[in-house]
């Protein structure tokens, strides 16, 4: 079971206020864009649409998260880009990857896996050890890190 919910990986978010019949739906990117408001009482009283028009209540929209304007958001986007390049088998600057998301365990797993593939076992070992100092989301991911660390140790002894 996961230890956290991360709004930067979830697909949707909805806030519902049943007593008032209001619902807010998140917009891109992630759940950081504005939340668009819908008054369900007004919508249901329309008994269908006779014309093509918007039905949201713009006066009650919730503004986008200011995080979108931060250097941390830019760093997160850099992390995602570098992560995706690694998944595609491309070479990346590992130090740039780490600098983009240094508090996240998976950053170090990616770095360790990359260095392991490059046969740089001592570097990989260091990254896996750092990953174990972070909060790890699942037991399966922790098991992967420990397995890779053991493989590094075995390679370094031989």
């Amino acid at each position: 079971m996961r230890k956290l919910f991360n709004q930067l990986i979830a697909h949707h978010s909805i806030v519902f206020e049943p007593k008032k019949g209001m619902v807010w739906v998140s917009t891109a990117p992630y759940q950081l864009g504005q939340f668009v408001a819908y008054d369900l009482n007004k919508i249901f009283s329309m008994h269908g649409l006779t014309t093509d028009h918007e039905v949201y209540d713009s006066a009650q929209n919730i503004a986008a998260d200011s995080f979108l304007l931060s250097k941390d958001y830019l760093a997160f986007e850099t992390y995602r880009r570098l992560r995706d390049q690694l998944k595609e088998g491309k070479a990346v600057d590992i130090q740039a990857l780490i600098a983009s998301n240094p508090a996240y365990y998976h950053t170090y797993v990616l770095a360790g896996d990359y260095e392991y593939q490059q046969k740089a076992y001592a570097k990989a070992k260091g990254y896996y050890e750092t990953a174990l100092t972070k909060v790890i989301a699942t037991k399966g991911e922790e098991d992967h890190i420990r397995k890779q660390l053991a493989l590094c140790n075995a390679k370094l002894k031989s």
Side-chain angles (χ1 to χ4, degrees), residues 67-79 100:
F67 178 66
L68 285 172
L69 304 174
S70 73
K71 67 178 183 168
D72 288 337
Y73 177 73
L74 292 175
F76 171 74
E77 286 297 319
T78 298
Y79 165 79
S100 70

Side-chain angles (χ1 to χ4, degrees), residues 12-27 31 33-40 43 56-63:
H12 312 55
S13 182
I14 296 174
V15 177
F16 186 54
E17 193 171 350
K19 288 184 181 180
K20 292 185 179 179
M22 291 294 299
V23 65
W24 291 263
V25 180
S26 64
T27 62
Q31 277 75 170
Q34 74 174 337
F35 276 69
V36 179
Y38 296 91
D39 184 334
L40 297 179
I43 291 170
Y56 63 89
D57 184 350
S58 61
Q60 296 201 51
N61 286 353
I62 300 170

